[in-house]
């Protein structure tokens, strides 16, 4: 009884810590940078698709130029670069695979330094971008604004890490989740109808049914697994039947919600580049890669390619068929009908590629759902919510609930062993 109460108090402490840190992150969003005409700036960028997209990740802080305007984006971008570099730089690959926890801590430290550098670059870019709306734009203002935004970004990164270590886990994902939720009331107010008439009850019911179906589909895909049976040599040697509970689970979507977050963060780059170039050809290309560009087909193909790439990339990070094959051989286990060694590696790689492709196809299909809804119901669906936000909301909710369940199970197991 005492142990159960202790576990309950522990999880309550983690939940309270998480809530407190999230409140702090929201508070920083509404602390404005001084010296900027915020009303004029907000009116000028209210229809800017890049700002609307960045507001999803900053919870509205980018439009108001708060001290947390950069949000978690620099840290996510740094994580993308480091994880890409891990597969190509031997030093980083050695840290990740051979040095255990010590190596992972070193990689985390490198990621923090890279996030700091990225924050400085972004904050300097914003300082020049808001020049027309600054009362007294000079070198001192540039330094002060860059320092404030960079410090705010580092604080958000610290909050994310504290939620991961002392809270319920998945700090970066939970911050994005809360930022999306915080923007929902305003997004609902901005919902417009292309027919300029009030939506009928039938249209609203159809819209709700489509979104409900999307959520169910996301849950099934996020939870979908392919169970590959495993049989050990000891079972065969003793003449026992195959144990049906022994299997290797391969998820349909190995990376969970992270591929869609990374793809979305990468989509911000064309918007950044378009702000600093005047070349008409480059601007035309960048416009076709934006969600509100002239050619949505090119944008959707680009978006699909990013989702596919990050899905395969994350699958390669989470599972290495060669390592799994070696571990099965060491444990004197094998897949029925598949020879140990290279044949097992090829079989696992082929299965993993198929599952990853199906998962990426699903994410791409969800990405075009808002356009389909708009054409069917004649309702311009919640601007900024779309498929990306919906996937993040559902995915983070599932991952967080699993994290809490895993924590409770591990604590109960520790108490039983004692």
């Amino acid at each position: 009884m005492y142990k159960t109460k202790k576990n309950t108090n522990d999880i309550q402490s983690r939940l309270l810590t998480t809530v407190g840190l999230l409140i702090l992150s929201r508070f920083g969003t509404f602390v404005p940078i001084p010296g900027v005409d915020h009303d004029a700036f907000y009116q000028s960028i209210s229809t800017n698709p890049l700002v609307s997209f960045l507001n999803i990740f900053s919870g509205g802080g980018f439009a108001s130029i708060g001290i947390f305007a950069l949000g978690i984006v620099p840290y996510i971008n740094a994580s993308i670069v480091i994880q890409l570099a891990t597969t190509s730089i031997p030093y980083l690959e050695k840290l990740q695979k051979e040095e255990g926890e010590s190596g992972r801590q070193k990689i985390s430290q490198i990621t923090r330094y890279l996030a700091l550098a990225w924050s400085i670059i972004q904050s300097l870019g914003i300082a020049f971008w808001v020049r027309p709306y600054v009362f007294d734009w000079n070198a001192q203002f540039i330094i002060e604004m860059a320092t404030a935004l960079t410090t705010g970004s580092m604080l958000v990164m610290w909050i994310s890490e504290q939620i991961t270590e002392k809270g319920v886990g998945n700090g970066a994902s939970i911050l994005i989740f809360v930022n999306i939720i915080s923007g929902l009331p305003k997004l609902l107010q901005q919902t417009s109808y292309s027919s300029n008439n009030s939506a009928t009850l039938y249209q609203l019911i159809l819209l709700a049914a489509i979104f409900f179906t999307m959520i169910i589909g996301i849950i099934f895909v996020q939870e979908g697994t392919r169970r590959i049976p495993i049989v050990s040599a000891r079972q065969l040697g003793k003449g026992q039947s195959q144990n049906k509970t022994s299997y290797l689970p391969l998820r349909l979507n190995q990376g969970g919600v992270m591929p869609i977050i990374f793809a979305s963060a990468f989509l911000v780059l064309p918007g950044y580049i378009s702000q600093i170039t005047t070349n008409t050809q480059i601007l035309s290309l960048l416009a076709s890669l934006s969600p509100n560009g002239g050619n949505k087909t090119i944008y959707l193909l680009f978006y699909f390619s990013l989702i596919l790439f990050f899905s395969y990339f994350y699958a390669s990070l989470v599972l290495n068929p060669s390592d799994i094959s070696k571990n099965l051989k060491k444990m004197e286990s094998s897949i029925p009908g598949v020879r140990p060694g290279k044949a097992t590696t090829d079989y696992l790689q082929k299965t993993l590629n198929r599952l990853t492709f199906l998962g990426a196809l699903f994410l791409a299909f969800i990405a075009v759902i808002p356009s389909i809804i708009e054409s069917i119901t004649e309702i311009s669906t919640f601007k900024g919510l779309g498929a990306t936000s919906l996937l993040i909301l559902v995915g983070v909710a599932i991952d967080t609930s699993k994290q809490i369940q895993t924590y409770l199970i591990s604590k109960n197991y520790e108490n039983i062993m004692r």
Side-chain angles (χ1 to χ4, degrees), residues 159-224:
I159 290 172
S160 169
E161 293 181 345
Q162 293 302 306
I163 292 175
T164 301
E165 296 175 6
K166 300 179 181 179
V168 295
N170 301 323
S173 299
I174 290 178
L175 283 175
I176 296 174
F177 177 91
V178 171
N179 288 337
I180 294 174
I181 291 293
S182 66
L184 286 182
K186 188 174 182 179
L187 292 173
L188 290 171
Q189 292 178 354
Q190 293 177 346
T191 301
S192 61
Y193 309 107
S194 59
S195 60
N196 295 324
N197 295 320
S198 297
T200 64
L201 179 62
Y202 168 77
Q203 289 175 321
L204 293 177
I205 293 175
L206 180 60
L207 180 63
I210 292 174
F211 270 90
F212 184 71
T213 304
M214 288 173 60
I215 292 174
I216 294 176
I218 292 171
I219 293 173
F220 272 103
V221 171
Q222 292 288 87
E223 297 297 296

Side-chain angles (χ1 to χ4, degrees), residues 78 106 108-119 154 157:
K106 291 179 181 178
S108 297
Q109 192 65 21
I110 295 173
T111 305
R112 295 188 191 104
Y113 287 134
L114 186 59
L116 174 62
W118 188 252
S119 299
M154 293 298 99
M157 182 183 70

